[in-house]
Structures are given as structure tokens and as C-alpha cells.
Amino acid sequence: MKLNKILILIWILIFIGCSKEPKKENFLARVNDSYLTREEFASLVDTTNLSPIRRQEIIKDWIYREVLYQKAKSEKIVDQENFKNVLKTSTKELAAAMLLDDFLSSEEIKFSDSDLLEYYQKNKNYFQLNADSYLINKVTFRFEDNAIKFRSLAVESDWTKAANFLSNDSSLILNMNSELIQENYLYPMQLMKIARDLYPQEISIVIAESGGYYSVVQLLGKYDKGTVPGFEIMKHLVEKRFLAEKQKQLVDDYLKELYSNNDIEIKK
């Protein structure tokens, strides 16, 4: 079950299950008689490292979905037979997805670094870069003065020491370590231009981003399109793909077991 499909199904149930008696003193947004409480918001997204910009985007998305749902309800869309059929199917698919999620959570996949290295060596074509890419460190602050202070510390000592020193800074909203990013995903445009001109280990100037945030970047390495970066650089992607394949095999075996344990008839 693809994650985006699961999320769509979850949103469908959220539409139907909007509380009419919320804790009104503890809400983040309201559309007429429907409220987005802090508890509901926390169930929608991991708030651990959620940036203020992303937080506002999620709230705005909830508002748009809610006004659309309320309009659809007033237009009697939810009373149509087609809607009920789709909801019935979606409910079954969501239940199945949650069952599989519980199943996978209960199945421990044991592996070692040597297993990942062997998988990487056998499947290097999977990890060939589709675009020029940059291995970077990046920090983002709410305030320019904090970004300037971080850069000065990083230049005078080193990036890791500066990051550790300011790890508890309340204005620090992003601390990215050794991330491989394709050139077309570098944002803002100024960052792309700067990354092209940096030398390995060089630290950028303070970069002003949209929303009034300020970032500093360190280039660790450049990789051309079509190349395959080393195992250590790709390790997190190798692990992700390795686990995905193992989980798929577990699900396939589980489905075969369920198939054999049920009374199934297919008519020609």
C-alpha cells in the first residue's frame, strides 16, 4: 500500500470524523463549527522538528480541505450513493493498510552494515545519480545575527563544533548533516549558485531565504550526474531501499498465508 494512498484515505475519514464538540480552548484553527485541535494536529504530522512555515502550510491545507468538505456536505455530495460506495471501499483499504502497518511493526528485520554493503555492491545501478548533486551541511535560523554568529564559529573552529555549541539555540530551525541533494532541489536559487562555486569544506556566506530565515551551508562534495557515490554517502538510501524490499517480501508472504487460510472462490 503506497503511503500517499494511505494518507488520502486517512484524510477522507478525517473529513467525516470532524468533531462537533471540540476543546474550544485548545484549537489551532476553526472553520465554522469544525475545529482543528492541538491533539488532532499532532496526529497529522510529526511536530518534533516542524518549522513554523511548514506548520502554517499544514494548518492552511486543513482549512482548505475543511471548507471543501463543508461545501460538499451542503451540496449533498456525502448523501450520494457514489460517495457512499467510495467511502466503503476506502474504509476497507484503510483498514487493510493499518493491518499491514501493524504486521510490519511486529516483524523485526535484522541486518548488519555488511548486509547493506553487499546489497549496495549488487545494486549500484539503483543508486546512480539522476542529476548533479551536492553533499552538504546546512543550518537555518530565524534571526540573521544567529546565522552570522554560527558562521563565524564554524569558520574559526569547525562546522561540527559550531553546530554542537548552538544546538540549543531557540532560533535554530534546521540542522542538516551530510545530506546529498540534487541540484534542482537546492532552494533558494541563490543556494544553487553558491553551491556550484564552493570548494569542498568551504562555508558559504549567510543566505537570506523566504519567510525571513537565514541559512549557512558547507559543501562536503560534488557528484556528477550518472555517478554512484560511495557506500558511506549513500548508506541511508541503501538502508531505506534494502528495508523496503525486505518489507515487500514479508507482505507478499503474509498475503499468501492469508490467501491459503481463507475460503476463496474465483468464478470464470
Side-chain angles (χ1 to χ4, degrees), residues 49-224:
N49 296 308
L50 191 65
S51 70
I53 291 178
R54 181 58 183 151
R55 181 178 183 273
Q56 291 304 313
E57 288 176 347
I58 294 171
I59 291 174
K60 184 180 290 185
D61 286 345
W62 179 87
I63 291 172
Y64 286 154
R65 281 188 288 268
E66 188 61 35
V67 296
L68 285 170
Y69 168 69
Q70 292 187 22
K71 180 63 174 176
K73 192 173 182 180
S74 70
E75 296 289 336
K76 306 298 183 182
I77 298 295
V78 298
D79 296 327
Q80 294 179 7
E81 196 63 31
N82 184 51
F83 175 85
K84 294 178 181 179
N85 290 336
V86 171
L87 182 60
K88 182 178 179 181
T89 300
S90 299
T91 301
K92 289 183 178 181
E93 291 182 355
L94 179 59
M98 294 181 69
L99 172 66
L100 290 178
D101 186 60
D102 288 345
F103 167 72
L104 290 174
S105 296
S106 68
E107 295 291 319
E108 182 181 4
I109 300 176
K110 296 181 179 181
F111 63 92
S112 64
D113 283 355
S114 60
D115 294 324
L116 296 180
L117 178 58
E118 181 181 1
Y119 180 82
Y120 165 79
Q121 291 173 337
K122 289 182 178 179
N123 300 280
K124 281 190 174 182
N125 58 306
Y126 291 153
F127 307 106
Q128 188 177 73
L129 298 178
N130 296 320
D132 292 345
S133 302
Y134 300 85
L135 186 68
I136 65 171
N137 291 326
K138 181 182 179 183
V139 292
T140 302
F141 294 86
R142 291 189 180 91
F143 307 116
E144 185 176 17
D145 287 347
N146 299 68
I148 293 172
K149 180 180 179 181
F150 173 88
R151 185 182 185 278
S152 297
L153 287 172
V155 171
E156 291 171 4
S157 55
D158 64 54
W159 184 279
T160 302
K161 289 181 180 179
N164 291 336
F165 184 76
L166 294 178
S167 61
N168 294 322
D169 189 325
S170 60
S171 72
L172 178 65
I173 61 175
L174 175 69
N175 187 2
M176 179 189 296
N177 294 304
S178 300
E179 290 286 338
L180 187 66
I181 302 178
Q182 291 186 4
E183 185 177 70
N184 50 312
Y185 291 135
L186 286 174
Y187 180 82
M189 184 67 67
Q190 182 185 3
L191 175 56
M192 181 190 297
K193 295 177 180 177
I194 290 174
R196 288 173 177 171
D197 295 330
L198 288 175
Y199 294 102
Q201 304 304 317
E202 188 177 1
I203 296 173
S204 73
I205 60 173
V206 174
I207 304 166
E209 299 200 22
S210 61
Y213 299 112
Y214 300 89
S215 297
V216 181
V217 170
Q218 181 183 39
L219 178 69
L220 301 177
K222 298 180 181 178
Y223 299 89
D224 296 332

